[in-house]
Amino acid sequence: MYRVFFFVALLFAALNSSAAVDDSLDSLDISLLTCEPHDEVYSLYGHTAIRVTDKRTGMDMAVNFGLFDSSAKNFALRFIFGLTDYRMGISEYRRFLEEYDYYGSGVREQHLNLSNEEKAKFMGALAEVAKPENIVYRYNFLYNNCTTRARDLILGALNGKVEYKKTGLQTGEWTFRELVHKKTSSHRWTSVGNDLLLGVTADFNTDWNEREFLPQVLMEDFDNAEIVGVDGKKKKLVDNARWVLPSTHPTVGNDTPAIPLTPMQCAWIFLVIVAVVSLALLRIAPKTMPWFIYAVCCLYAMAGLVLLAMVFSQHPTVRVNLQILIFNPLLFFLAFPMKKWNWRSHVIVACILLFFIGNIVQCYAEGMNVMAFALLLMHTVSKFGIKGSKEN
């Protein structure tokens, strides 16, 4: 069925794009579809697609730039490194809605107020994008996703420029991290995972276009947008909007975490364990305390291997991440048990202090400052432990 509709859609697009612009295009309607999130983590940010219908032929299709194969070889690894390829697909509109109906997620349709000339330009662009050599693209969550692709396809067909009004998330100043938090606020562990990977540049203020990586923002922008033609005349970009599929899932977006504790609670528990064990070893077995500290530091260092890998990622917002100052792969070497407090100890403490200063420019994942304090506490105690060991 997918192949049949894909072929028919291409044929339809080619015919309409090459035909003369006349009243025959009056039967063609183009709409933006904005889909609400559901319980799957990958859906937390929502989704965007385009609906193309022709009353004359009965064609009703959904153009979707969010198709991926999670079972593909090394999918997770490629996603982390920004090497994930997504593809565009064209399917029956009815089948597109069935998926969101299954999850109980709402779908809102915004009918675009396009002239016949703009419709012809859109269909021509769609025919080009739908060519086998063009349907696959290099996905980037913040800069090149299903929403930005749909936006660019629509705006590229307009005869004139678009003017927006500041509403919703376009008011005030927002960073990428803050915008992501808006969608993951009820999934705290997901937020922690995101914040661990997002670096300094995720805390820079975004501009108008950058915020439109979120389906909600693009939907709000289109609601209040006007097309300014070359003759200076204005018309609304969206002339009608409606919910074609109302939300029926009352728990959409809510989280039932596998870990009942919050990230901050876990961080404080970890700090208490580190403090109790370190003080106990200082009193009863000071010679073994450096080995305990080294074991804990190895855990930090293993987490740091992931952040080190991010330096080579194609995602521009993850390469410079100050959290690597505590989740530092060099701890495998720097924290190796020492008989006395030396330059390696000073390097570790200096990195921790720089991490705390880094709060000025980067928003860390929840609990990371507590984790940094645990690391500092261990090395402060170790100084006395090493002395105690020497005296014994």
Side-chain angles (χ1 to χ4, degrees), residues 278 293-294 297 331 334-335 338 341 344-346 348-349 352 373-384 386:
S278 297
I293 294 173
Y294 182 64
C297 285
L331 287 174
L334 292 174
M338 299 168 278
W341 186 270
R344 287 187 288 152
S345 304
H346 288 96
I348 294 173
V349 172
I352 298 171
F373 185 73
L375 191 63
L376 180 62
L377 177 65
M378 282 193 305
H379 283 85
T380 301
V381 173
S382 74
K383 184 173 184 179
F384 295 99
I386 291 172

Side-chain angles (χ1 to χ4, degrees), residues 34 36 106-109 219 241-247:
T34 304
E36 290 183 332
V107 177
R108 188 168 184 261
E109 179 181 18
M219 180 187 72
R242 64 190 180 107
W243 288 94
V244 293
L245 187 66
S247 176

